Amino acid sequence: MKLFLFSIICFSILCSSNGKSARPIPPVRAVNLGGWLVTEGWIKPSLFDGIPNKDFLDGTSVQLKSVTVGKYLSAENGGGTIIVANRTTASDWETFTLWRINETTFNFRVFNKKFVGLDIVRKSIAIANTLGVAETFEIQRNPRDLNRVRIRAPNGFFLQVKTEELVSADYEGDGGWGNDNPSVFLLNITGRMQGEYQVTNGYGPLVAPKVMKEHWNTFIVEKDFIFIKKVGLNAVRIPVGWWIAHDPSPPKPFVGGSLQALDNAFSWAEKYGIKIIVDLHCAPGSQNGWEHSGSRDSSQEWGQTDDNIQQTVQVIDFLAARYAKSPSLFAVALINEPLAPGVSVQNLTKYYKAGYDAVRKHSPTAYVVLANRLGPSEPRELFRLANGMTRSVIDVHFYSLFSDIYKGLTVQQNIEYIYNNRTAHLRELTTSSGPLILVGEWVAELLLKNATKQDIQSSKYTQ
Ligand SMILES: *[C@@H]1O[C@H](CO)[C@@H](O)[C@H](O)[C@H]1NC(C)=O
Ligand SMILES: *[C@@H]1O[C@H](CO)[C@@H](O)[C@H](O)[C@H]1NC(C)=O
Ligand SMILES: *[C@@H]1O[C@H](CO)[C@@H](O)[C@H](O)[C@H]1NC(C)=O
Ligand SMILES: *[C@@H]1O[C@H](CO)[C@@H](O)[C@H](O)[C@H]1NC(C)=O
Ligand SMILES: *[C@@H]1O[C@H](CO)[C@@H](O)[C@H](O)[C@H]1NC(C)=O
Ligand SMILES: *[C@@H]1O[C@H](CO)[C@@H](O)[C@H](O)[C@H]1NC(C)=O
């Protein structure tokens, strides 16, 4: 039941050929099995409970204010020159993103993606392009006031703010946690990520395999497929990460075992006559920088090289080869929520062509789902591409969330928005000669904070 509380994200494929009919019958009505084979912290927060020092996971953004000068540390020019402590307000250059080495040791990534490092000879703090021993820092927290930290450099000394323009790694002593100690900083955590990278690297290579295996074996079980069948759904959409193709030994920190869980899903689906949409949610390098794409630190690097695209095509090839023979394989979704402008339509098109061919190599019938880009993009930008393919589908996501336009809407206004505006959006996409449309994600949740169960149900029925 828990799964439905958290992830009743339903979707359907509408037939393009009967766009004129008032009520097109969707061939699939499905639930997303979110938070299972790709971790999303909000779906199952307790998965992170056992991580030591869990405030400091990969991708945590921190700002540090010196107690003695009362100003923020800043990577001058976003990185490339020096670290100073002369900013009265904190923004991008004053924000450092953590890479976790283990529970006490971290790299600090600066705005332009370089790293804070130690100039061992001068005991000064520098900006480094590459990572080594000189870029590993220990964060010590005041056990009585967790917002006070000190940072120990790899030479054994603490960072200290000598003047607003001189930060060095040469503070020896302890000196307490008071406002007179130049090695003490006020910590402000301004961003957190709770995805697969964070959970696996947070537990580390010894514990993560056990924790993830337990999660995969218990979060979705055979009984859920029985329930799905019973309530009249006929499909599931299963988000997976690129590392599944490298099971049982994926690159660190990811751990093996999700492939076995997906195999189980296929055997249950076959047993109960349920279809599966396999959805590549995490592409190598991350296609959107969000935690649910397996990103380490919000960087979005997918699609920037041919190598990276080729690597992703191989993942699709692997999945298609493995499941093509299953009567439950309904569709392969090539990539979830590629984000513009970081992902260009040209490079995405190149990938979609190769990904389509990879699926077709193994299956003449599986639908191939091409996700529209989020961010600045055109709803029909993939039409020409999709029209040149057979059994291709355009995927769109319709949340009444994540945008100011839903702020302040009453339940009734939300319902009208779905009736009028979403209908218009779908009509724009649904043409008699165009591709099929998949509303791959939507959710009954409203932005309205005081919505009652009845409200949620009404808007769900409207969808
Ligand atoms: C901070 O210090 C750097 C290095 O001296 C200087 O270039 C910059 O203008 C200073 N910024 C402020 C806001 O004082
Ligand atoms: C963390 O890593 C650092 C640097 O490699 C090492 O010195 C330290 O012992 C490690 N700590 C733990 C708890 O593993
Ligand atoms: C921490 O960050 C938040 C969000 O940027 C900001 O509103 C707040 O003033 C900051 N607090 C401190 C102590 O820097
Ligand atoms: C698209 O791919 C080309 C070549 O592989 C690369 O040079 C370019 O930077 C990529 N564009 C984006 C937005 O990633
Ligand atoms: C919804 O559609 C109506 C016209 O049917 C339009 O006036 C309104 O601006 C749209 N709302 C939003 C938030 O786009
Ligand atoms: C929810 O709050 C809005 C205003 O914030 C109010 O108009 C509405 O009546 C409330 N709804 C319920 C169900 O309490």
Side-chain angles (χ1 to χ4, degrees), residues 303-306 342 344 347 350:
Q304 290 176 0
T305 63
D306 287 337
S344 69
N347 291 10
K350 197 189 296 175

Side-chain angles (χ1 to χ4, degrees), residues 203-322:
Y203 280 108
L206 296 180
V207 180
K210 292 181 201 139
V211 171
M212 297 315 289
K213 188 164 185 226
E214 170 73 10
H215 168 64
W216 292 327
N217 285 343
T218 55
F219 191 63
I220 299 290
V221 295
E222 182 169 356
K223 271 201 322 217
D224 293 314
F225 280 72
I226 298 174
F227 179 78
I228 287 165
K229 185 75 178 176
K230 201 173 83 190
V231 298
L233 301 177
N234 62 2
V236 292
R237 175 176 178 261
I238 305 182
V240 301
W242 60 271
W243 53 88
I244 199 170
H246 303 272
D247 219 271
S249 325
K252 278 180 185 157
F254 301 109
V255 302
S258 62
L259 186 61
Q260 178 62 56
L262 187 59
D263 284 350
N264 293 344
F266 269 93
S267 66
W268 298 328
E270 286 164 18
K271 189 165 166 190
Y272 301 108
I274 288 170
K275 302 284 186 195
I276 292 184
I277 297 169
V278 178
D279 181 85
L280 187 69
H281 232 62
C282 311
S286 173
Q287 70 277 20
N288 53 40
W290 290 317
E291 64 183 20
H292 56 69
S293 65
S295 178
R296 182 174 197 175
D297 65 358
S298 301
S299 311
Q300 176 193 14
E301 280 153 17
W302 182 84
Q304 290 176 0
T305 63
D306 287 337
D307 252 18
N308 166 288
I309 289 178
Q310 204 39 49
Q311 206 189 332
T312 318
V313 172
Q314 279 162 17
V315 175
I316 296 298
D317 187 285
F318 171 86
L319 291 167
R322 192 172 185 92

Side-chain angles (χ1 to χ4, degrees), residues 393-435:
V393 185
I394 304 283
D395 169 80
V396 292
H397 294 178
F398 283 169
Y399 289 93
S400 294
L401 299 166
F402 313 123
S403 161
D404 283 347
I405 66 174
Y406 308 108
K407 257 193 196 147
L409 293 196
T410 63
V411 176
Q412 194 49 43
Q413 286 169 328
N414 266 291
I415 288 174
E416 278 162 20
Y417 183 85
I418 296 165
Y419 269 126
N420 301 326
N421 303 61
R422 288 309 190 195
T423 304
H425 296 155
L426 271 182
R427 200 166 283 142
E428 188 183 358
L429 289 166
T430 314
T431 60
S432 56
S433 58

Side-chain angles (χ1 to χ4, degrees), residues 113-132:
K113 300 194 186 299
K114 295 179 181 180
F115 296 90
V116 176
L118 169 73
D119 181 331
I120 292 172
V121 177
R122 295 157 62 202
K123 293 186 182 169
S124 65
I125 294 304
I127 296 290
N129 287 312
T130 54
L131 282 176

Side-chain angles (χ1 to χ4, degrees), residues 351-371:
Y351 168 63
Y352 279 160
K353 282 184 181 153
Y356 174 83
D357 290 343
V359 176
R360 283 287 165 266
K361 199 167 99 192
H362 305 286
S363 169
T365 52
Y367 288 100
V368 178
V369 180
L370 317 175

